[in-house]
Structure formats: C-alpha cells, structure tokens
Amino acid sequence: MDLGAKGSSAGLLCVTRTRIAGLILAAAVGFSPQPARSAIGRITSTLSISPSNSVVAGTTVTLTGTVMVGTIPVTHGLVVFCDATAAHCEGAAIFGTAQLTSSGSATLRLVPGVGNYSIQAVFQSSITSPPQALAVSGNASYASATTIKTSGTAGDYTLTGIVSAFGREAPTGTVSFLDASNSNSVVGSATLNPASLAWKMTPSPGSPTAVGTQPVMIAVGDFNNDGIEDLAVPNSGENTIGVPLGKGDGTFQPSVKFSTGRSPYAIAVGDFNGDGNLDIAVTNRDDNNLSVLLGKGDGTFQVQTTYAAGNSPLGIAIADFNLDGNADVVVANASDNTVSILLGNGDGTLQPEVVYPAGSLPYGIAVADFNGDTIPDLAVASSSNNSLSVLLGNGDGTFQAEVLVPVGSDPFYTVATDLNGDGIPDLVAANYKDDTISVLLGNGDGTFQAQVTCTAGSGPYILARGDFNADGKADLAVTNFNDGTVSLYLGNGDGTLQPQLVYPVGRGTSGLATGDFNGDGLPDLAATNYTDGTVSALLAEFTETATATGISVLGLGTHNVLASYPGDPSRAASQSSSVPLIGVQIATSTTLSASPNPATMGQAVKLTATITPTPTGTPTGTVSFYNGKTLLGTTSVNPAGIATFVTSSLPLGSDMLLAAYSGNVVFAASTSSAFGFTVQVAPTFTVTTSRTPLTISPGGSGSATVTVVPAGGAFSGTVTMSTSGLPPGATASFSPANVIPGSAGKSTVLTIQTSTQTSSLTGMPNSQFLLVSMSLAAGMSLMGRGRKRLFLLVAVAILAGGTLTMTACQGLTADKVQARSYGITVSGTSGSVRSSTTLTLVVQ
C-alpha cells in the first residue's frame, strides 16, 4: 500500500471522547479560554434541554449550555455535555461537545437512546451547570433480529432463540417457537435469559457504502444540524472529501464530494469560526498543506482555504492549545519528523505553523491532558523509531521537548483513553509490523508504564475508542489493513482487555471512527476500505437467548420451525428463518363405555369412546365401534376428545365391544380394551288374582287381590291396571291404579260394584206374560163371530185368570233373583307389555 510518506505509513486525529457528535474540538476536557480580564463576577454554567425533559426514542434533543461571567456571556471556549453521575467527565460519560458562539451558548443536537439520564454542561473542567434530567422512553422503534439453533432428536429437541437487538438496555420478553408447517402452532416457548446477555457488532443495512477512490481516514460529525451523525472521508485517489449524510437508522445518503488538495489523507472536525456549524480540516500529503472547509450547517461546505504545513503532512488533530477558546490544529509531518501547530483566530482562519520535533516518521496524533494541569498535551506515533513521542503543552500554544515512550514495531497510530478508570489518560498504539496493539497506562505526571501488548489482525492501522457495550468501561477497536477486518477489544475496567473480536469489513481497511449512527445510545463503528472505495458501518447490539428443552414437534413428516420474538417496549418484533425438524405423534389411549349396561334385546345402547389426551388439529380423527369383528359404525371425535354411537341391534347374549381411534397428523391411533357386554331378554310380568270366583249380590260389591309378578328379571316400569267383561251397570276400581312390580312383585285391590237386577220363569217378567196373554185373548176374540166369539172371550178370561192366579202364587210383590256367572278379564299394561288373567264373577 501507499498511504503515507513511506511505503506503509499513516496518521490521523486521535479521538479521546466516546462521542462528540461530530465536534472533535478538544480531545481532553477543559481546554477553553479564561474569561476576559475585564469581566467581573463569578463564572456560571447553565443547561437547558428541548423539546422537553421527557421524550420518546428517535427524538432529536437539543442541549444548550450557556456560560456567563456575572451578566456577561462567554463567547469563546468549549462546553462539554457530561453524565452528571459519572466519576469522571471522560469517555463514555461525554454526550458531546460544542463551541461557544457569540451569544454565549453552545448547542449540541443528538438522538439519545432509551434510558434515564442526568446531564451537566461543563466549562473549563470544573464549572458545571446544575444537572438536568432527561428521560427517553421506548416506542418499539429499535430493530431486532432473531435466529434459531436446534439440537437433539425427534421428540426431544432443544430449541434456542437468539435475539439481537439495538439499544442500551437488555431486550426482554418471551421467544415462541412456531411450527410454520402447522398454522404456526406453538411447539414451545422460553423467556429471554439475562444471564445469556452478550454483545456484538453487525453490519448496518446496505453496508458498505461507496464514498470515492482510495478513501483513507474518516471523521464523524453532525454537518447538517439534525442531530444525526454524518461521515466525512478524504478520497486520496481523487482529491475530494466525500460526505455521506446519515439517515439515523445506520444507513447513509449517497456521498456528496468537495474538492481538496492533492492526496487528502487525514481529517478532523471542529468549529473554527464559532458559528455553531462544524468545519473540516484535512491534510493534503502531496501538497504539503492542509485544507479548511467551513461548514454551512446544511451538510455542505465552502470552498477550501489552504495553509502551509511540513513535508508529507499526515496525522491531524484539533484542540485549544493556547486556551483562548479558539480551535487550533496540529499536523504530523512524516517526512520532516515534526509536528506543526497552527493556532486558530476564531474567525475560521489559522495562523502560520510553528514546528516542533516529534520523533522519526510521525503519523497519528493523540491529544489529552497527560500530566493533570488541564493543558492539552500531544502523543505522536513515530513509526521509524518504534515509539510514541510525548510533548507536554505549556498552555500558550507551545510545547516542551518530546519524550519517547517505547512501543511495538512501526506504530502508525495512537489513541488516548482511560482504560483503568482512574481519570488519567492512557495510551494505546497500533503496531503495524508486529500485528499487535500496545497499552501504556498513564501515571498522571506525563509518564507512562511499560507497554502490555495484545494480539491484533494483520497490519493493525488506525485505532478508535468507545464504550461499545455500555458497561461504563473503555473499549478499543483497530483496523487491520492487510486482512480487511476490524478487531474489537472489550475493556475490563482495570487497564486490561479481553481477547479480540474480529469483524470482516472490506479490502484495505484503514480509517476508523465511532458514532451512534442509528440513535440507540450505543457507539457504532465506521471503517474505510481503501482498496474498495467504500465505508463499512458496524452497529453495536446486544444479544440474548431463550432456550426450550424437551420439545416435540407434533405431526408426522418434516416440519419447518422458526423462533418468533414479539418485541418489547424498545424493540420491534422479529422472526428467524425456519429449520427442518422431524415431527412425532402423541401417544393416545382410548376407553369405551356403554349405557345402559346390561341392555335388553332391541334396547338402544349408547357407546362412548374417550381419547386421552384430547386430540387437536383438523380433523381430530374418527372412532370405529366393533362387536367382535363386526363393525357397528364410525363417528368423528369432537373437540372434547369424545366420540359416541347409538345402536339397537346388539344381539342377545354376551358381546365383546371395542373402539378403535384412527389418529390424525398429530395424535397416534389407539384401540380400547375389549369390553364385555350382555344383552338380555326384556323382563316382563304376569297378572294373577287370589280369589276366584268372586260372588256378589245384586247391588253389592266385592274385592279381590290382584298381583303383578315380574318375569325374566326385575320390571321397573309402571303397570296400569284395567278390567273388561263386567255385568251391565257394574263398575270396577283398583287401589292403587298403577303399580311397579320391581323384583318382588306388587299387589293391588280390585273392587267390583254391581247394580240391582230381577229374573222370570223364562227370563220374561210376569207383567210381560200377562200382557202377552191378554193380547192373545183379544186377538182370538176378534177372529170369532157370535157365540164363537163369546167362547173365545171366556177362554181368554179363564186363561188370564189362571195366569194371575199362578203369578200370585209365585209372589207378585218381589222378584226372585237367579244366579249368573261372568268372566271378568283383569289386565296390566306397561308400554307394549301386557298381561291378563280371568276372574269369575257370580252375581246372585
């Protein structure tokens, strides 16, 4: 590669803040001017937050810090917006910085992630505003992604859902595992396990983004003042700066290009004219100068103004070196072995350079307060003598002589950060030829402990720092030019680092910068790919897993199973792709019952089959009912797992019944045990009487006991009693009128009431006989003449008289009753069953 003055060298601004919203103006806190000598009164700082102190995720929040000396506004200097609860206003505790303007205020716009914050505006390290609370609530706007892993065998799977989600807070909720082959039925579920919480980087949608030819370094800033971070990339192969504006979701608009000098290399961002808009400074390696492009605040820039530097200027950084409140510039001149200091005038222009020795072949520059005097100092990666050159600042824009600190072989770049949380900046160097990074803990007096190295990729090049996993501990990242990767090191908070995590990006990975590109509150990474002409964005996110064990996928065949995450108050829902799993059927059992049991011949019998467990799915299946091998009928299983069948055709005797469940896709078939069942002859009854004959006088009554006796078993029906064949005028009654024989029989009393009757000689009454005789005599008299008629009349009279005499002799004052017998039928009826007996009734 040819990125520097010699075959494999480079340099860039070292950003010592986690997030400065595009304003890399003072790499350490407090590099601001003292108030004017004429000012009278105490210096105060205030902070206001708009639109309110309570917003939803995705809202652009404006932080405005105001600095006053008494009633006079301070119009120069840097305001740092810090976490008021942090021990030190450094690293992840910094929300961003902004330059004071002529109004005496500094404004920072940002999109904060979900959470509760306490923020202060800090001026000159110790002048702080009262804390202001800011609450950002979730609205399920952060993206999530779900993947699934499986292990085990059919009927005993372990399913793991891995949810990756943006945002500072851990994702919450339950993952459901769905059978996409069975209407997304739930086969299992599990709650996300907080103990499984992990962190990773993932490429942003549409990454990488084209920016130009041979992009080297990169800077981050909000160039159009919308609270969303944008990128600025020097394209060394086409002498331009490409500016892709951020969309706020981790993606970027097409790059807009602005002209620079020849071979633009390193870039830094600051506000040189105090108008609240970000400006750009870039080194032009082949022109031996730097370009300043003043920002218009809408994402565009004015035409460049150039300033002379040394030979092969590479690394660049911005800070207030003389504490006048104006942004100054430092440039590493690789071919001169020097650094150039160009003090700012505060109106967008720079003073001529002042040069200081800085090791052999200097590249990257880090700015921080290494000796605790609140004055910015310098650390320069001097690649040829394998060291870092430390130049302590005097506070007036001048520097003390360099002190060399040994590191690895061919260090291209260095970054300052507090790795052990003691408030003292430490140094890290990227050693290109060693494939390592060196960690040097600061002593707080401008000196450093001996290096500790960590393995990197091939050709570690540019470093960046940030609290990527939001644990309050400084982390590091480095590009590996030769293998096109980024190595990321999570900090332990004690100055040590965890083993590298490696993320592929593009070819010739060189520049690196941090910024929150998707507005979730976590710092992300943007890396330039020199060979590809692109920028790759890596977004920080948390992962959490939910595991369900002993899972059976129900139903024969192969099923496509996926993991589904419903989201939480901060995250949107997501589903994984599906994986093929082998389904099984659930074992079932079938039980059979019959009612009534036993039954009588021809009686309707209800057969009931119950399937356990209750089958689900469509259809649920059928049950076939058998008597031995004879199929009686088949019916469907209802949602309660029951099938019924009614038959009246069961044969007499002992039957063997069973029920066979067909099963369905999910539930296996099963057959009940053989069920012994008896069909009997239907019980009946007989009617008997205890008294026969029954003799009753005319007009009298008599009683007889009638018994209904069961036959063929107990008879539980109601038997209604009745009679027929009674004499004229006679009546009959039963007490009781209805009986239930049961198993022992039941009796009732029959009472017959007769009417009054008479009898004659021949069955004709005497009065009738007399009437006939007289009628006969009268007829005979009509038939004769004269004496003959007289004779007949006499004869008739004699006949009638004889008749009367005879009647009188028999007793004409009362009839004499003759005995007569009647056959009375006594019956009992119950439904279709009827039984009768005959009772002889004698009336006399």
Side-chain angles (χ1 to χ4, degrees), residues 3 48 64 70 142 189 212 254 282 289 348 367 369 374 476 516 620 654 690 698 750 793:
L3 301 182
S48 64
T64 302
Y142 297 157
S189 62
V282 60
N289 63 17
V367 179
D369 178 13
T374 71
L476 290 171
D516 183 6
T620 54
S654 297
S690 62
L750 168 63
L793 289 171

Side-chain angles (χ1 to χ4, degrees), residues 98 163 207 228 340 370 400 443 486 536 584 625 825-826:
V163 175
S207 183
I228 298 171
S340 296
F370 299 124
Q400 300 176 31
N443 295 317
V486 171
S536 295
V584 297
F625 297 90
T825 299
V826 180

Side-chain angles (χ1 to χ4, degrees), residues 335-363:
S335 296
D336 291 347
N337 301 330
T338 62
V339 293
S340 296
I341 304 296
L342 295 87
L343 298 179
N345 296 315
D347 59 359
T349 64
L350 301 176
Q351 298 176 29
E353 66 175 331
V354 176
V355 178
Y356 297 88
S360 177
L361 206 62
Y363 284 83

Side-chain angles (χ1 to χ4, degrees), residues 242-283:
V243 179
L245 297 178
K247 297 180 181 179
D249 60 357
T251 65
F252 299 88
Q253 299 179 33
S255 182
V256 178
K257 297 178 181 179
F258 302 91
S259 296
T260 63
R262 291 185 301 159
S263 300
Y265 190 85
I267 188 169
V269 176
D271 183 1
F272 293 111
N273 57 358
D275 63 354
N277 300 322
L278 293 183
D279 310 315
I280 290 174
V282 60
T283 57

Side-chain angles (χ1 to χ4, degrees), residues 616-715:
T616 58
T618 304
T620 54
T622 60
V623 172
S624 295
F625 297 90
Y626 292 88
N627 181 11
K629 295 182 178 181
T630 302
L631 176 65
L632 301 175
T634 300
T635 59
S636 297
V637 177
N638 68 19
I642 296 173
T644 60
F645 180 74
V646 178
T647 180
S648 300
S649 61
L650 293 175
L652 185 67
S654 297
D655 296 331
M656 295 301 292
L657 306 180
L658 58 84
Y661 171 53
S662 66
N664 64 6
V665 174
V666 176
F667 291 82
S670 60
T671 301
S672 71
S673 300
F675 181 77
F677 188 78
T678 302
V679 179
Q680 302 172 337
V681 175
T684 184
F685 58 84
T686 59
V687 176
T688 63
T689 180
S690 62
R691 184 176 179 183
T692 185
L694 174 62
T695 302
I696 304 174
S697 298
S701 64
S703 298
T705 299
V706 177
T707 303
V708 182
V709 180
F715 192 92

Side-chain angles (χ1 to χ4, degrees), residues 81 108 133 203 223 261 271 280 293 388 433 481 496 498 524 545 552 619 670 722 789 794 843:
F81 299 93
L108 172 68
F223 301 121
D271 183 1
I280 290 174
L293 292 82
L388 300 180
K433 290 183 179 178
F481 185 90
T496 63
Q498 299 178 30
D524 309 310
T545 62
S552 295
S670 60
S722 63
R789 178 182 294 180
V794 173
V843 180

Side-chain angles (χ1 to χ4, degrees), residues 117-132:
Y117 304 90
S118 180
I119 305 174
Q120 286 180 312
V122 180
F123 180 69
Q124 291 185 346
S125 301
S126 60
I127 302 170
T128 61
S129 70
Q132 293 286 326

Side-chain angles (χ1 to χ4, degrees), residues 79-139:
V79 172
V80 183
F81 299 93
C82 284
D83 180 356
T85 65
H88 306 286
C89 183
E90 197 280 333
I94 297 179
F95 293 93
T97 61
Q99 189 79 9
L100 287 167
T101 65
S102 59
S103 65
S105 63
T107 300
L108 172 68
R109 295 176 182 87
L110 73 160
V111 180
V114 171
N116 296 308
Y117 304 90
S118 180
I119 305 174
Q120 286 180 312
V122 180
F123 180 69
Q124 291 185 346
S125 301
S126 60
I127 302 170
T128 61
S129 70
Q132 293 286 326
L134 174 63
V136 182
S137 57
N139 58 354

